[in-house]
Every structure is written in structure tokens, then in C-alpha cells.
Amino acid sequence: MSYVLSNGKPLLSQKATNDGHAENSPYFDGWKAYDSDPFHPTQNPSGVIQMGLAEHQLCFNLVQKWLENNPEASICTKEGVDKFRDIAIFQDYHGLPEFRNAVAKFMGRVRGDKVRFDPDRIVMSGGATGAHELITFCLADPGDAFLVPTPYYPGFDRDLCWRTGVRLLPVVCHSSNNFKVTRKALEEAYAKAVEANITVKGLLITNPSNPLGTILDRDTLREAMSFINEKNIHLVCDEIYAATVFRQPDFISIAEIIEEDQEYNRDLVHIIYSLSKDMGFPGFRVGIVYSYNDAVVECGRKMSSFGLVSSQTQYLIASMLSDDQFIEKFLLESAGRLATRHKDFTDGLRQVGIKCLNSNAGLFLWMDLKGFLKESTVEAETDLWRVIINDVKLNVSPGSSFHCSEPGWFRICIANMNEETTKVALARIQEFVQRNGDKLNRKEKCWQSDLRLRLSFRRMDDVLRSPCSMSPHSPIPQSPLVRART
């Protein structure tokens, strides 16, 4: 497709034609492979199983039952249609008062009612994606930077950078201490930015972590607060997985830390939240910026008009989150089901010698496949990833797409499928390991012959050349990292 006019001038803007959306990575490429050949238990049992989607589908039956019992919560039912006119007309971009009240109460409930959230500080946005971009626009200018501990969610490169012009600088963490964020690593990253004459405007942390599935302890959170106060930079805390903690230790919100020590500068603290992970509602696009800074709240409200949550969704969510009995049951049942799925899958992996990072939250596992690499390089990891998608037929995400500094780690999502599909996915992994396990202890860990790799890549090329319908998550059609390199 041509992006240049006949007079040589660009047809589209630089933003429209650059690679800032960051889709050229295995994380997004895996979606293309899945969309081209999706698994179905009867219609396509040999297809690719989607394990690259961090989605919570284990409690949909609870939500469905609530909807059946509360039809008046929707303006699209006979019981709720009388509210249609009031909800369909223009709504203030501050959000429905009942919606903000319900979200603020739910945020406190998820955090064990240890802290209270002010409804007047709730700023709406279109999902966590929109919330991250909104807070970035409020805090930084093009060329400024945020420090981000690795490994981190690949979408941050898009959400925080593409349209804002802001950059992300990695705070390199290591498996030797379970990827814990240390003061030393923060200082090193900050010093490198200063040396490069880059203005650091903030630190972005994810708690619980995506992709690690771990939580930040109290000491780490205090260290982060101390660091940003000394540097006088912002702290953006992504807490969208707060209710996915399924066993001890309990989740600790940054809100608790600043309540405990009044010396911290609250104006520097901002929380990102949504209902996409905790409730399993990514399609509702409910994103929240909760800032302790009055100016950010005021500015964020103005910016939110570009990505509001629909009033119909606000009305439904307000009713659901206000049902204390339902919320209590949902949170307890969700934690139990996530714990069961986590245990079943890790037990199955352990049977064939695959270890995962010890985690207690999230919708995924951080799986250690270093023993299957021919060498400890990103290229070897990418080769293994290709075979897992093409031969094992699982869409998992390699650690390099999460900016992990150590090749061989993979994120594998376990909560977006039913139990039957989970068993098929686990069986495929076990079969792969058993077929290649005798090679793990060899000095040269060559788990596939060159011929098999070439054949595997050709099959993937055949898939990519075939026409297919693209999902909203799909990357650009000619994604280079999925195509085999010769």
C-alpha cells in the first residue's frame, strides 16, 4: 500500500505510518497464528489453542446468573427499558454518580477494605489501555520517559508511547531473586537516563505483575515510594489484577502504603484500574485513573471525553458492583477457581519436569523453558516459540516480547478456556516434553533437527498465506516475526 502522494508528500501522518503500535513482536504475532487456525474440540481439534490471552473466563456462569436475576440492571430489557431515555441522552464526562460510587467501593473491597477510595477522584477511560495513555498525557511530554521494571506487559509500548511520544526505559530485573524490583536496579536505570540526557517523569509498576503473577511486598512498595519522592517523579501503579490473588501473601495496594506514611508526597501517586481482569469484562472497556493529584484529576476528566465508558455500561456496572452479596460471592469463588486452575496446570507441568516461577496471582504462569533452548539467546528463544506455535499448536508468549533480559521464559495464560481445552493444552505440552526430553541434559540442547524446523516454518508460511478473517487483536497481515526466516 502506498503512503506517498504523486507529488512525493506523505499521504498519511507520521503517527499513522510508523511502527509505534509495537505489533511487530511475537506477542502479537501469536494472535495471527491463532486466528488463522483456531482450535475447536470437534471442528478443528488440531488447531492452535489460545494461551496468549490474559482473560478471566472462569466465573462467567456467576455473572450470567446475576444478569438473569437482575434484568432491570439493563436498559435493553423489558424490566429496565423505562430507564432507556435517561441513560441514552448526554451524560456528563465525570460519569454517573452511582457508577463512580460503586467503582470506588469495589476498589476498596478488592483491597480488603483496608483503604477507602474517593468517588470524586474516579476518572473514566476506555479500558486500562486508555487509562494508561490518559495518565501519560497528563504527566509527560514527547521525549520524556518512564522507568518500567522488566519483564513487563508488551502493550505498554503501545499504550504509553505510540500517540504520546513518551518512551519507556527498562529497569532490568533477574530471576536470581524472582525478578524482584530492587533499589539498586532503579538507581542504575535512572542514572543511565540522566547520562543520556533523558528526562524521567515517572516509574510505572504493575502489581500484581503481568507476566510474573507475583505481588510486590510492603518493603518493595515503600522503596518505590522513597525512590520517587527523592527523585521527585511520579509513580503510576497498574493494579488491574488486584482481585486475581488466589493465595497468600495478600495483595498490598500502593494506597495502603501512602496511608501508613503521611510523609510521602501523594501528588506523585496515581493508580490504574479496570474491570477487564478482576471481573473478566474486557469488552466493557471500563478503565479507571485514580489520582491523588487534584490537577491530574481535573485534567484527566477533560481528556476522558475522548474515551468514555458508555452510559449503558456504567448503569449496568453500577448495579452489579453495588450488590454486596454478589460481589462477596464472586471474589471468593474467583479466587478459588483461579487457585484450582493454577494448581492443576502447574502440577501437570511438574510431572514432565517443567518449572514455573512461584506465583500467587494473575491469569497466567511464567514458565521456564530454558532447558529447551539450543543456546541462551533471543534468537534461540524465538526459534523455540515458532515450534511451540507450529508443532505443539499453542499460542504462548516468549519472554523477549515482555522485555525479559533472560531468554527461555514464556508466559502461558490458563484462565481463558474451559477445563476440557485446558486438558488438551496440557497434554500437548506433556507430549512435546516427553518427545524431546532426552535431549534436555545434553550439552548441546538441540531439541529439533534443522529439517524439522524448516518444514515447521513452511507450514507456518502456508498458514499465513491463506486468507483469514482478522480479530480485533490481530497484528498487521504481513507480520515479519511469524514468517520463517531463511
Side-chain angles (χ1 to χ4, degrees), residues 95-111:
L96 298 175
E98 56 267 39
F99 170 77
R100 288 187 284 111
N101 289 332
V103 170
K105 182 179 180 180
F106 180 71
M107 289 175 65
R109 177 68 184 85
V110 164
R111 290 151 182 81

Side-chain angles (χ1 to χ4, degrees), residues 67-83:
L67 292 171
E68 292 171 352
N69 293 335
N70 297 271
E72 71 282 355
S74 172
I75 60 174
C76 297
T77 64
K78 181 176 66 175
E79 293 81 359
V81 71
D82 287 344
K83 286 286 186 178

Side-chain angles (χ1 to χ4, degrees), residues 2-12:
S2 175
Y3 294 112
V4 181
L5 295 172
S6 58
N7 60 5
K9 294 184 178 180
L11 176 64
L12 304 178

Side-chain angles (χ1 to χ4, degrees), residues 222 224-233 254-269:
R222 286 173 173 166
M225 282 300 306
S226 175
F227 174 77
I228 65 108
N229 272 259
E230 288 182 16
K231 308 301 183 186
N232 196 32
I233 61 176
I254 196 66
E256 291 184 49
I257 303 302
I258 61 176
E259 287 290 339
E260 294 170 354
D261 191 337
Q262 299 299 319
E263 296 300 316
Y264 292 133
N265 184 355
R266 293 188 173 204
D267 283 344
L268 299 176
V269 180

